[in-house]
Amino acid sequence: MEKYKVGILGATGTVGQRFVTLLENHPWFEIKVLAASKNSAGKTYGEAVKNRWILSAEVPQKYENMIVMDIEEDARKIVSEVDFVFCALGGEKDKIKKLEEMYAKLECPVISNNSANRMTPDVPMIIPEINAEHAKVIEYQRKRLGTKRGFIAVKSNCSIQCYVPALHPLLDLGIKNILVCTYQAISGAGKTFDTWPEMKDNIIPYISGEEEKSEVEPLKIWGSLEDGEIELNSDINITSQCIRVPVSEGHTAAVFVDFERKASCDEIIEKMTNFKGHEMSRDLPSSPNRFITYFEESDRPQIKTERNLERGMGISVGRLRKDTQYDIKFVCMSHNTVRGAAGGAVLLAEMLCREGYINK
């Protein structure tokens, strides 16, 4: 098949690097443009990431000599060379929101890892296995933007993708209250232990903006399409604490849940492990064979053994048991820069391509 031509905005950063490695041999997508800020524009990709490459894999040789384009000044040229772009930019949210909308209005679909547009009512925020049907809001967004082809779709925050998938199969029990504590890897801040020595033998009990995202983004994912917008779920209450821990990659969560209808632990585990995900998310190049894996061992899941499960796209759950104050509690984990960031966005793009929202 003829491959979709892809651009990466913010290609030199942590998530951009992950996009580059994930797409190196992708069966559907071919990178045609690597773009970044003025500081990197005009350099070869190898030069631009020379002192900032943080992944264990080497810089893919096929992209080393590709010239990095300017995300703003070269926008029209970028759009002319690609079928859609991934946005891996960090920085000022208002600026990124305007930039993504500019690309969409240039008739270029934008699949974003950034949070700038996540709460825009007609921008779908999708975990494909859970709320793929929210893609229907794209037709309303296009009317607002005045576009035929361009739109913005986003993936959710990296930390909620380890526990929202585990909770989703339990919605029929009537989830009422969720308390979640996340323990988040330093790569989520774009750091390594070499660049962030303060994190060695340390934890930081605050991540700017993370708790707010953890408490509201799941409500959009579990929301409904009404009058051309996604309305937040109003039946579930969430409170969270988000902590940075000395782990290179992989976010873990401790989750406590109350239900309207009671179920045994065995029934809940069965619901989780039998959940196959929305049919629109299946049989895509990045789809995990098993979405959720439950571990019976009392000391699992662990970062080192489980973060690369299903090529980094699987969700690991363990230690599910009754609680003295909530109905149940459990621990879950996922790879934050694969499932939680670039990999989740690639899976979303695959789904949107197959469903006809992105064409060549």
Side-chain angles (χ1 to χ4, degrees), residues 70-80 102-103 106:
D70 188 303
I71 54 173
E72 295 184 80
E73 292 184 6
D74 295 328
R76 290 186 179 276
K77 187 172 190 302
I78 290 168
V79 166
S80 71
M102 177 187 73
Y103 272 84
L106 290 171

Side-chain angles (χ1 to χ4, degrees), residues 154-280:
V154 300
K155 53 153 290 298
S156 65
N157 182 262
C158 54
S159 65
I160 76 169
Q161 296 200 52
C162 67
Y163 62 87
V164 167
L167 289 167
H168 186 73
L170 313 180
L171 287 180
D172 64 349
L173 297 176
I175 294 175
K176 295 189 300 181
N177 300 305
I178 301 166
L179 183 154
V180 59
C181 297
T182 61
Y183 307 91
Q184 300 184 205
I186 63 174
S187 55
K191 305 286 188 179
T192 66
F193 289 115
D194 289 335
T195 60
W196 202 2
E198 297 90 341
M199 277 306 303
K200 294 179 180 178
D201 193 32
N202 192 24
I203 67 168
I204 297 176
Y206 173 70
I207 305 172
S208 178
E210 203 74 6
E211 287 159 6
E212 294 84 351
K213 295 172 190 173
S214 297
E215 292 171 359
V216 71
E217 287 189 17
L219 303 181
K220 185 172 182 180
I221 289 168
W222 289 325
S224 57
L225 177 57
E226 306 286 345
D227 299 322
E229 296 182 348
I230 304 297
E231 287 195 2
L232 303 187
N233 183 301
S234 60
D235 299 325
I236 299 172
N237 301 304
I238 307 174
T239 186
S240 69
Q241 290 236 79
C242 299
I243 300 169
R244 190 72 71 191
V245 295
V247 167
S248 60
E249 291 184 301
H251 288 351
T252 300
V255 186
F256 301 76
V257 195
D258 270 335
F259 303 103
E260 292 177 0
R261 294 177 290 282
K262 309 307 177 189
S264 70
C265 289
D266 287 342
E267 289 174 309
I268 290 171
I269 292 169
E270 185 177 2
K271 282 179 177 291
M272 287 182 179
T273 55
N274 287 341
F275 181 68
K276 296 188 181 345
H278 196 289
E279 61 181 10
M280 285 165 58

Side-chain angles (χ1 to χ4, degrees), residues 17 21 23 39 44 53 59 63 70 72-73 75 101 112 117 169 202 218 251 264 274 284 289 297 302 328 356:
Q17 293 174 24
T21 56
L23 296 177
N39 293 334
T44 66
W53 186 261
V59 179
Y63 306 125
D70 188 303
E72 295 184 80
E73 292 184 6
E101 192 163 298
S112 181
N117 270 298
N202 192 24
H251 288 351
S264 70
N274 287 341
L284 295 164
N289 291 322
E297 298 90 336
Q302 292 184 22
I328 63 162

Side-chain angles (χ1 to χ4, degrees), residues 83 89 161 229 252 260 286 321 348 352:
D83 296 311
L89 292 166
Q161 296 200 52
E229 296 182 348
T252 300
E260 292 177 0
S286 299
R321 60 219 190 273
L348 171 56
L352 293 172

